[in-house]
Amino acid sequence: QVQLVESGGGMVQAGGSLRLSCAASARTFNRYTKGWFRQAPGKEREFVAAISWNGGTTYYADSVKGRCTISRDNAKNTVYLEMNSLKPEDTAVYYCAVTPRSSNYFVLSTWNYWGQGTQVTVSS
């Protein structure tokens, strides 16, 4: 069974940084686009960032552009999300996801596999 396991979440003060990691159990995913979503209490899950299979292209939501960096290490089957200048509105459960598709990254149904999520809490 293919698994995606996130780690690195936690509680941080506003202005702080966190680095999320997502390890995949299958090397097959090294040829797939990987991404991050988040879901705050009472809100819908939203796109945060995505990265092409070779890391050559990245995509970001406007809300995190300039503050977050997505990267991947295919040798470790892992995708990362570096988050800086965190704000209380970044508080959410963060999920990693994988898709074989190469477009429509903002759409939830584009993504086939999901992790269980990791909580990020930013205090003011």
Side-chain angles (χ1 to χ4, degrees), residues 39-98:
Q39 187 166 18
K43 295 188 177 182
E44 294 185 350
R45 192 171 298 189
E46 64 175 5
F47 172 81
V48 175
I51 186 167
S52 61
W53 73 272
N54 62 357
T57 307
T58 56
Y59 308 84
Y60 296 95
D62 288 342
S63 58
V64 303
K65 199 171 295 183
R67 299 188 298 119
C68 291
T69 301
I70 188 171
S71 60
R72 64 192 293 166
D73 184 341
N74 285 342
K76 297 181 179 179
N77 299 341
T78 300
V79 61
Y80 305 96
L81 184 68
E82 183 81 30
M83 302 188 293
N84 300 307
S85 302
L86 283 163
K87 306 174 182 180
E89 50 263 44
D90 293 318
T91 294
V93 177
Y94 283 70
Y95 299 88
C96 70
V98 175

